[in-house]
């Protein structure tokens, strides 16, 4: 079984890509809803949660783990790999590389949680892959919480999205990296604001391809999905149709 986890609903955007790439695989999805959001937590707090969830999923029979969260990957993927040396771990990191490669203006932006925005790992990614472009990192406090509350049409959120994105566009960015898995669910709102002036970069499909390469026999299961949450598991299931993921709900039986 493939274990996939996030602080909450955001990782479902990655799970959707995983299910498309590995339709016969069995998945367990864990939402850490008792501790969401991770974006305002310290590195130590996030590591502590990631290690606990890794143990939980491993003890529930997961042989491959996907950290469907940029914040958790930046803070704790190394610690998770060290704790489970026998289990392959796929992390999710902001798509700096494809954005930098494809940018024509030489300016890109990354939207991320506060914790990811200040992480040394993000700075390392920028140094490694964006040497020739200018990168604007925009922390977006509160966005993941709006997604958690399923307040996708909240006018206050729309105003904040515009207030953060317009200045980036005014600086000439032509690629905007969704550096938090929750933000995939804000893509319609972001596209409306961007209005063709830049492309949004989401790595969910690339993460799914990487997982497919590592899956081996795990690709051949019975296409089932287990849903786990550290608080209010019923809300996780109820959120699926609201996020247009009814096809995933069907797998959960
Ligand atoms: N979905 C997460 C990410 O990709 C974290 C959001 C949060 O809990 O703050 O960064």
């Amino acid at each position: 079984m493939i274990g996939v986890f996030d602080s909450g609903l955001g990782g479902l955007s990655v799970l959707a890509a995983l299910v498309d790439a590995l339709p016969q695989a069995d998945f367990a999805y864990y939402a850490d809803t008792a501790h969401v959001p991770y974006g305002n937590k310290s590195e130590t707090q996030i590591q502590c949660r990631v290690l606990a969830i890794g143990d939980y999923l491993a003890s529930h029979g997961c042989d491959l783990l996907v950290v469907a969260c940029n914040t958790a990957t930046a803070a704790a993927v190394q610690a998770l790999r060290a704790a489970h040396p026998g289990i392959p771990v796929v992390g999710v990191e902001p798509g700096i590389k494809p954005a930098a490669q494809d940018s024509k203006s030489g300016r890109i932006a990354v939207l991320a949680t506060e914790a990811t925005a200040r992480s040394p790992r993000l700075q390392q990614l920028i140094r490694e892959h964006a040497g020739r472009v200018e990168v604007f990192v925009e922390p977006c406090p509160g966005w993941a919480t709006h997604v958690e509350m399923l307040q996708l049409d909240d006018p206050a959120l729309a105003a904040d999205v515009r207030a953060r994105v317009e200045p980036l566009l005014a600086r000439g960015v032509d690629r905007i990296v969704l550096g938090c898995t929750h933000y995939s669910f804000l893509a319609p709102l972001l596209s409306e604001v961007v209005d063709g002036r830049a492309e949004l970069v989401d790595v969910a499909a690339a993460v799914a391809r990487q997982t497919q390469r590592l899956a081996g026999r795990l690709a051949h299961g019975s296409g089932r999905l287990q849903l786990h949450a550290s608080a209010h598991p019923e809300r996780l299931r109820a959120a699926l149709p609201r996020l247009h993921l009814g096809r995933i709900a069907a797998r959960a039986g």
Side-chain angles (χ1 to χ4, degrees):
M1 187 157 60
I2 301 174
V4 183
F5 69 93
D6 178 44
S7 58
L9 303 178
L12 292 171
S13 60
V14 178
L15 180 67
L18 288 166
V19 164
D20 287 344
L22 292 156
Q24 296 305 320
D26 293 318
F27 291 97
Y29 183 85
Y30 187 99
D32 196 8
T33 36
H35 302 94
V36 68
Y38 283 176
N40 62 6
K41 307 260 183 317
S42 71
E43 190 175 273
T44 310
Q45 286 172 311
I46 299 166
Q47 280 180 3
C48 196
R49 289 309 306 152
V50 166
L51 292 175
I53 296 167
D55 288 348
Y56 177 90
L57 289 172
S59 71
H60 280 73
C62 293
D63 316 292
L64 194 163
L65 295 175
V66 180
V67 186
C69 175
N70 295 262
T71 309
T73 300
V77 77
Q78 284 174 350
L80 183 63
R81 288 194 174 117
H84 296 280
I87 298 184
V89 176
V90 179
V92 174
E93 297 194 299
I96 305 283
K97 188 177 177 182
Q101 272 170 357
D102 296 346
S103 173
K104 291 180 184 54
S105 68
R107 292 179 162 204
I108 67 171
V110 187
L111 307 175
T113 65
E114 306 100 287
T116 301
R118 65 166 184 262
S119 69
R121 180 60 194 156
L122 181 63
Q123 290 312 315
Q124 190 188 339
L125 275 178
I126 292 172
R127 274 196 308 277
E128 281 174 7
H129 301 298
R132 283 173 299 134
V133 306
E134 199 170 351
V135 183
F136 299 95
V137 178
E138 183 70 28
C140 305
W143 287 17
T145 302
H146 271 93
V147 174
E148 278 310 298
M149 313 284 283
L150 298 171
Q151 294 169 338
L152 303 178
D153 300 322
D154 183 348
L157 172 65
D160 194 47
V161 167
R162 193 168 286 282
R164 290 183 187 281
V165 171
E166 282 294 354
L168 298 169
L169 294 166
R171 284 165 145 163
V173 310
D174 66 351
R175 294 291 181 280
I176 298 181
V177 178
L178 306 185
C180 168
T181 53
H182 280 75
Y183 303 168
S184 301
F185 296 113
L186 300 179
L189 177 56
L190 281 160
S191 297
E192 206 178 295
V193 171
V194 169
D195 196 21
R197 290 173 287 173
E199 273 182 34
L200 303 179
V201 178
D202 191 333
V203 297
V207 168
R209 284 194 297 277
Q210 169 67 0
T211 308
Q212 205 175 24
R213 282 192 281 274
L214 295 173
R217 64 176 173 82
L218 298 178
H220 311 289
S222 45
R224 299 241 172 80
L225 170 65
Q226 295 179 12
L227 294 173
H228 303 256
S230 51
H232 308 297
E234 71 291 347
R235 282 196 208 157
L236 177 57
R237 198 189 176 84
L240 292 171
R242 300 281 304 279
L243 297 171
H244 308 290
L245 296 173
R247 65 201 167 85
I248 287 186
R251 288 176 175 258

